[in-house]
Amino acid sequence: MEKTISMVAVLMLALTTLSSPITPINAKEKAERLKIESKGHSKTVFVETINYDTSTQEETVLETHGEDLIGKFKVDTESFEASLKNIDTKENYELKGKIDKVLEDGKAYYYKGIAENNNLVKFEAIVEKKASKDYEAKINIFEYKKKNDDEPSSSKTYIFDGEGKKTKKNKEKADRKTIKMKKVKENNGRQKLTAYAEDEDDYYQKIQGGTGKGWRYRIQGPLTTETDAGNNFSFRWGTEIEDIEDMLEEEGVDYTGSHDIVNFRLRIESDEPVVFNTVDPINDSKEEFSVPMWFGTQIGVVNIPVEASSVHISGNGTDNLLYEFKWNENYFPSGYLDERDFDKNPGRTPGFAVRYFMDTAPSIDTGTAKINFSGYFKYRSLYNYYSLLLHEYTQITKKSSYDIEIVD
């Protein structure tokens, strides 16, 4: 991994090395008031599968870009005050700060400050004049667990440009396994149902896979599970940085081409009488681990390494298991991307994967069991803005489900 430096160091380096002049902050008798758009959206994409057509093998997905934001601003060329509300998450921020840099007089300003309603929140804001008389604001909000922490526990980008969230419905081809059952005779002469296995190692059958805006995934494991029994499953995720760069281009962001992941989450849950137990990682202390997956007869089973700054697991031994991996946001790059083809040998480069055990209850009905999941990436992108190097955060969530056949 390359030598990393903090975001503060990056900004200081940019300010001292780049030649673009910064206008000194001069006190004025009367600061100029800046009118900012009150309507905005978060930098998020949420993709949810709402239907699957087995005849066409297509998923109907609802794709939502952004969460609706409302802001009330009192901003001038010297100070920044804002009352922000996220309509979807109900979060509220009362921000207060002051000018840090005048990037271009009458055109662009950079502010820093804190949240008055939460002493664990800091922010930075870019205010820029657009074609109209109004200004647009791009605000990075940093939340900390403790007041003296150097590293934020959470970060997000809010954009106030007069645009709210946008939702569209799409159809996508889905790589879902159709489970075909057959009867086999055991040593005791008893017949039982099992699934046809296409791969040589049916314990690593490809159950399902998908690709979308900023995400890819693949699930492997047995297609059937007996009542009052269980199996291990491997779940791998990959990034699609080209999608993120397309979104940045549409937004007019002068990105540098440097990106990483600072947060990854995976939730697995079901309404069926099942419980999920951790395998890899086994607990929160396992910040470096590996997950086995099958890569065909020529390659076989290969372990995918995972390296995180911190691991948090909740719901182990329940029907709602959540993994969360984080990377230190004081350094860039801290996390990594995984753009590799899922069918190629992953080698020793780290990725995003987990392995878990699904245990069924004696009371579970035979037939198809639905397992829900949602995967989440938070991308961090380095971009140029006048003589500053700043970060923009893009959050991507994919929510769907897969099926397992329950047999006696």
Side-chain angles (χ1 to χ4, degrees):
M1 186 174 289
E2 299 178 10
K3 184 177 180 181
T4 55
I5 55 178
S6 71
M7 182 178 178
V8 173
V10 170
L11 293 175
M12 292 302 296
L13 180 64
L15 291 173
T16 56
T17 58
L18 296 180
S19 59
S20 300
I22 297 294
T23 306
I25 302 172
N26 296 320
K28 296 182 179 180
E29 291 184 5
K30 186 176 182 181
E32 180 188 351
R33 185 74 178 267
L34 308 179
K35 184 182 177 183
I36 298 176
E37 295 281 0
S38 61
K39 188 176 182 180
H41 60 276
S42 61
K43 195 68 189 297
T44 59
V45 179
F46 185 84
V47 183
E48 182 176 10
T49 301
I50 57 176
N51 185 50
Y52 175 64
D53 190 332
T54 55
S55 62
T56 62
Q57 293 186 320
E58 286 183 325
E59 288 183 346
T60 302
V61 300
L62 201 62
E63 188 174 300
T64 303
H65 288 246
E67 299 155 333
D68 279 329
L69 308 175
I70 295 294
K72 294 181 180 180
F73 295 91
K74 184 180 178 182
V75 178
D76 58 36
T77 51
E78 294 178 1
S79 63
F80 185 103
E81 293 184 33
S83 178
L84 310 182
K85 183 175 182 179
N86 187 316
I87 304 301
D88 294 312
T89 66
K90 310 305 181 186
E91 293 171 298
N92 291 276
Y93 299 99
E94 301 294 331
L95 305 182
K96 187 172 185 178
K98 61 183 180 180
I99 190 73
D100 188 80
K101 298 286 184 303
V102 178
L103 302 173
E104 183 179 340
D105 198 19
K107 174 70 174 177
Y109 304 86
Y110 177 60
Y111 304 83
K112 286 184 177 180
I114 61 171
E116 289 192 309
N117 63 329
N118 188 339
N119 62 3
L120 299 178
V121 173
K122 298 178 182 180
F123 78 92
E124 62 180 8
I126 292 286
V127 175
E128 183 178 15
K129 192 173 186 178
K130 294 301 181 181
S132 65
K133 293 181 180 180
D134 288 351
Y135 284 74
E136 296 179 3
K138 180 182 289 185
I139 306 169
N140 281 340
I141 297 173
F142 307 102
E143 299 186 22
Y144 298 80
K145 286 186 177 180
K146 297 178 182 178
K147 192 172 183 178
N148 295 325
D149 282 355
D150 294 326
E151 178 192 355
S153 60
S154 175
S155 48
K156 65 192 72 173
T157 298
Y158 280 0
I159 299 172
F160 288 87
D161 58 358
E163 299 284 340
K165 69 180 178 184
K166 299 178 181 178
T167 300
K168 58 183 178 180
K169 190 180 289 187
N170 296 324
K171 287 200 173 184
E172 298 176 349
K173 276 291 183 182
D175 190 9
R176 294 196 179 202
K177 178 75 69 174
T178 300
I179 304 175
K180 299 178 180 179
M181 306 300 293
K182 64 179 179 179
K183 286 185 177 181
V184 297
K185 186 176 290 186
E186 296 182 303
N187 293 333
N188 59 8
R190 178 176 175 264
Q191 283 193 331
K192 62 176 290 187
L193 281 174
T194 190
Y196 284 102
E198 296 177 2
D199 294 334
E200 184 175 297
D201 193 333
D202 63 352
Y203 202 71
Y204 289 94
Q205 275 281 306
K206 178 181 175 182
I207 295 173
Q208 190 168 306
T211 301
K213 191 178 292 293
W215 55 267
R216 295 176 295 137
Y217 73 85
R218 178 170 291 185
I219 312 164
Q220 288 185 351
L223 296 173
T224 62
T225 296
E226 294 182 1
T227 58
D228 196 19
N231 287 309
N232 288 327
F233 297 87
S234 293
F235 209 143
R236 182 184 181 186
W237 287 77
T239 55
E240 288 283 357
I241 197 59
E242 186 176 342
D243 294 333
I244 305 303
E245 292 186 341
D246 286 345
M247 286 188 277
L248 293 172
E249 285 182 9
E250 290 175 7
E251 192 183 319
V253 174
D254 182 19
Y255 64 88
T256 64
S258 296
H259 316 266
D260 68 350
I261 295 293
V262 293
N263 195 191
F264 167 73
R265 293 197 297 261
L266 175 61
R267 184 181 298 277
I268 304 136
E269 56 91 17
S270 180
D271 294 329
E272 305 284 352
V274 301
V275 297
F276 303 101
N277 295 287
T278 57
V279 178
D280 298 308
I282 190 67
N283 54 41
D284 289 0
S285 65
K286 296 295 182 181
E287 294 165 356
E288 294 187 12
F289 57 94
S290 60
V291 173
M293 296 199 79
W294 174 255
F295 289 88
T297 54
Q298 291 187 335
I299 300 175
V301 176
V302 178
N303 284 315
I304 300 169
V306 182
E307 300 173 3
S309 299
S310 67
V311 172
H312 177 69
I313 301 170
S314 61
N316 187 24
T318 75
D319 59 5
N320 193 332
L321 176 62
L322 174 66
Y323 296 90
E324 182 167 20
F325 305 153
K326 288 187 175 182
W327 289 263
N328 192 329
E329 292 191 43
N330 272 345
Y331 302 94
F332 187 86
S334 175
Y336 47 81
L337 304 176
D338 187 358
E339 299 282 300
R340 295 167 293 183
D341 189 323
F342 279 176
D343 292 323
K344 301 293 178 63
N345 191 326
R348 298 181 179 179
T349 304
F352 307 93
V354 301
R355 188 163 175 82
Y356 54 93
F357 183 82
M358 186 187 79
D359 192 14
T360 64
S363 59
I364 192 170
D365 294 332
T366 57
T368 302
K370 182 179 179 181
I371 311 300
N372 302 306
F373 68 87
S374 63
Y376 166 90
F377 280 123
K378 183 185 288 185
Y379 288 83
R380 180 172 58 166
S381 302
L382 189 67
Y383 72 96
N384 297 298
Y385 189 77
Y386 288 83
S387 59
L388 298 179
L389 284 171
L390 299 173
H391 288 133
E392 181 156 326
Y393 298 87
T394 306
Q395 302 176 69
I396 305 288
T397 302
K398 166 63 177 178
K399 184 177 181 181
S400 189
S401 65
Y402 65 90
D403 293 335
I404 295 295
E405 194 73 16
I406 305 299
V407 297
D408 287 328

